[in-house]
Amino acid sequence: MATTTFEAVRAEALFVSYLQCSQAPKSDEVRAAVVSTLRRVGIKGCAAQVAGEFGDHPETAVARMAWALALVRSTYPARRNAPRAVRLLARSA
């Protein structure tokens, strides 16, 4: 499945948030963590921290990003009324 820009930004924010993989957070906790992290450090700050973690700890960063992306996709489902091109891209991936 292709990752949208919104998914990537949210996953990066969740990646650098206070939530941990072992917590099995609920959707409302994921949304709150994404919002608070983006407000606190911004989009560029999240990207910089993610890059740092991948540089310093690639063995754990990959698993954490997979967790973050999966949680973001389950918390923020794709819009059914998204433009046709976006829906087609999501299906083809």
Side-chain angles (χ1 to χ4, degrees):
M1 175 186 298
T3 302
T4 68
T5 302
F6 286 121
E7 284 177 332
V9 168
R10 289 169 175 156
E12 288 176 350
L14 184 58
F15 181 99
V16 300
S17 76
Y18 55 84
L19 291 179
Q20 297 300 312
C21 302
S22 60
Q23 291 176 297
K26 296 182 176 157
S27 292
D28 59 336
E29 295 172 305
V30 171
R31 289 176 186 271
V34 167
V35 168
S36 68
T37 303
L38 285 172
R39 285 185 180 151
R40 188 171 39 86
V41 297
I43 294 171
K44 290 180 182 179
C46 289
Q49 288 183 34
V50 168
E53 286 300 312
F54 269 88
D56 294 342
H57 309 286
E59 67 285 348
T60 56
V62 171
R64 183 161 175 85
M65 183 52 79
W67 166 81
L69 189 54
L71 219 54
V72 163
R73 285 181 173 157
S74 67
T75 301
Y76 302 90
R79 291 180 18 200
R80 287 189 153 305
N81 59 352
R84 186 172 189 275
V86 172
R87 290 193 312 265
L88 291 175
L89 277 175
R91 284 189 210 148
S92 66

